[in-house]
């Protein structure tokens, strides 16, 4: 009981983008999306006070890794789960943590996380930017702020569709699972969240992700301009693929961009 009181006394750190989930009804909904299997290796990013961890720890799994940057919270989680030999608390930054030990293993690796909104895009980009693809994870269930989630989920011909949409969708099948209103957090953030499921696909696995990112930076450098301007150096490739150069960047599909990368690089 004392350690539970201690963990609840930990104040959120604005510098770490900490917003703790406090709504049990929301956690019950999240629980429906937690897989239970003794073949699973689960990684939770930013467990905080352990609200979601409580549900993860009750499932069947081979190993559960909790990556928490806040040393006070990490120590409290170590106390709470010290008797469980297959739960490992790692006091580290998820952005710089080395995930290579999870590569090429026979178990199913699933990442769960209420991601700090201030680093969510960088984290996702890190996980999908490995040129060795499919990557180390088999599935991710992650919380993003709504604006970022909308960009991840957007289809072409949509104003929210952009560089992040193409990058993520070239690597993963994306699906919205849950809305996460600001009211479920403490402290209450200024924006709502959305929970998204991401599963790796290999449709474009031979595409060099760095080359794709470079092309997208050029294409979306000025959203209002047509691609005959932003991609003016690649007019022959556009013509070969029968892509109308009078289109705007958001009108090209993920396949269009990946086909362009194949031709250009």
């Amino acid at each position: 009981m004392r350690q539970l009181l201690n963990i609840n006394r930990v104040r959120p750190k604005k510098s770490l983008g900490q917003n703790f989930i406090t709504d049990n009804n929301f956690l019950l909904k999240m629980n429906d999306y937690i897989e239970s299997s003794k073949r699973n290796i689960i990684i939770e990013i930013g467990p905080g006070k352990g609200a979601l961890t409580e549900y993860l720890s009750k499932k069947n799994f081979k190993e559960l890794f909790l990556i928490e940057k806040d040393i006070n919270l990490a120590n409290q989680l170590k106390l709470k789960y010290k008797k469980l030999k297959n739960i490992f608390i790692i006091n580290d930054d998820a952005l710089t943590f080395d995930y290579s030990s999870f590569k090429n293993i026979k178990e199913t690796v699933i990442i769960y996380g209420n991601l700090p909104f201030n680093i969510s895009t960088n984290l996702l980009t890190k996980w999908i930017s490995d040129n060795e693809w499919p990557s180390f994870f088999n599935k991710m269930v992650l919380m993003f702020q709504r604006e970022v989630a909308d960009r991840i989920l957007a289809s072409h011909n949509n104003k929210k569709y952009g560089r992040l949409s193409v990058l993520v969708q070239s690597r993963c099948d994306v699906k919205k699972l849950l809305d996460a209103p600001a009211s479920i957090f403490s402290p209450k953030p200024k924006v709502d969240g959305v929970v998204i499921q991401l599963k790796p696909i290999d449709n474009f696995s031979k595409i060099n992700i760095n080359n794709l990112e470079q092309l997208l930076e050029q294409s979306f450098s000025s959203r209002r301009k047509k691609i005959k301007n932003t991609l003016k150096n690649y007019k022959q490739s556009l013509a070969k693929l029968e892509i109308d150069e009078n289109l705007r960047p958001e009108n090209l599909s993920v396949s269009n961009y990946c086909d362009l990368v194949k031709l250009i690089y």
Side-chain angles (χ1 to χ4, degrees):
M1 180 62 76
R2 182 175 291 174
Q3 69 196 37
L4 191 63
L5 288 172
N6 287 342
I7 204 166
N8 286 332
R9 280 181 187 151
V10 175
R11 291 188 175 183
K13 294 177 182 174
K14 196 173 182 180
S15 62
L16 298 180
Q18 290 177 338
N19 298 94
F20 304 125
I21 300 173
T22 56
D23 187 297
N24 284 326
N25 288 327
F26 177 81
L27 289 165
L28 283 169
K29 290 177 186 175
M30 273 291 288
N31 186 52
D32 292 338
Y33 297 106
I34 301 173
E35 282 190 24
S36 187
S37 169
K38 290 181 180 178
R39 283 182 50 82
N40 288 351
I41 288 181
I42 298 173
I43 304 169
E44 186 186 2
I45 305 297
K49 296 182 179 182
L52 181 60
T53 316
E54 191 73 26
Y55 289 86
L56 292 170
S57 65
K58 290 174 181 172
K59 300 289 185 179
N60 288 323
F61 55 85
K62 185 174 182 181
E63 293 174 326
L64 169 58
F65 294 85
L66 310 176
I67 303 177
E68 177 53 60
K69 187 176 181 179
D70 187 318
I71 191 165
N72 293 326
L73 290 171
N75 286 338
Q76 292 297 329
L77 290 167
K78 283 177 184 176
L79 276 173
K80 184 173 182 180
Y81 293 109
K82 65 182 179 181
K83 292 182 180 178
L84 297 173
K85 302 301 181 187
N86 60 343
I87 297 182
F88 306 92
I89 291 83
I90 301 166
N91 178 214
D92 206 344
D93 186 340
L95 266 176
T96 55
F97 180 73
D98 182 5
Y99 297 89
S100 59
S101 62
F102 298 107
K103 285 185 177 181
N104 304 315
I105 59 174
K106 62 182 185 294
E107 291 82 8
T108 299
V109 178
I110 305 176
I111 303 176
Y112 293 92
N114 166 26
L115 302 183
F117 288 167
N118 58 346
I119 63 163
S120 62
T121 305
N122 290 340
L123 259 177
L124 180 59
T125 304
K126 174 189 172 79
W127 289 327
I128 65 168
S129 293
D130 193 343
N131 271 309
E132 190 181 321
W133 195 261
S135 189
F136 69 93
F137 63 89
N138 298 87
K139 187 171 80 169
M140 300 193 286
V141 177
L142 304 172
M143 172 101 67
F144 296 92
Q145 67 190 79
R146 181 173 297 282
E147 181 232 341
V148 174
D150 287 345
R151 285 161 52 207
I152 292 169
L153 294 162
S155 302
H156 65 292
N157 299 323
N158 184 309
K159 287 183 179 179
K160 292 175 182 176
Y161 179 80
R163 173 185 157 274
L164 186 63
S165 319
V166 180
L167 268 183
V168 176
Q169 292 174 37
S170 72
R171 286 294 169 98
C172 296
D173 176 64
V174 295
K175 177 184 175 185
K176 177 182 173 181
L177 298 181
L178 283 173
D179 287 312
S183 57
I184 71 165
F185 299 100
S186 176
K188 183 179 176 181
K190 295 177 181 177
V191 293
D192 294 331
V194 174
V195 178
I196 295 177
Q197 174 183 280
L198 303 101
K199 286 186 175 181
I201 56 172
D202 60 6
N203 309 39
F204 312 108
S205 58
K206 293 180 181 178
I207 298 295
N208 183 295
I209 196 79
N210 301 316
N211 292 341
L212 176 59
E213 193 159 11
Q214 191 176 326
L215 181 69
L216 293 171
E217 281 177 14
Q218 292 176 62
S219 185
F220 286 95
S221 60
S222 182
R223 293 184 65 99
R224 296 182 67 184
K225 288 186 178 179
K226 295 178 179 178
I227 56 172
K228 67 181 178 184
N229 296 311
T230 60
L231 298 177
K232 61 185 177 184
N233 295 331
Y234 312 120
K235 287 191 176 184
Q236 283 188 331
S237 298
L238 290 168
K240 192 171 183 179
L241 292 170
E242 299 181 347
I243 297 172
D244 184 353
E245 63 176 27
N246 288 305
L247 293 173
R248 300 190 191 280
E250 68 266 24
N251 300 132
L252 274 64
S253 67
V254 174
S255 297
N256 289 152
Y257 279 112
C258 289
D259 289 341
L260 274 170
V261 170
K262 285 181 197 171
L263 273 184
I264 295 166
Y265 297 96

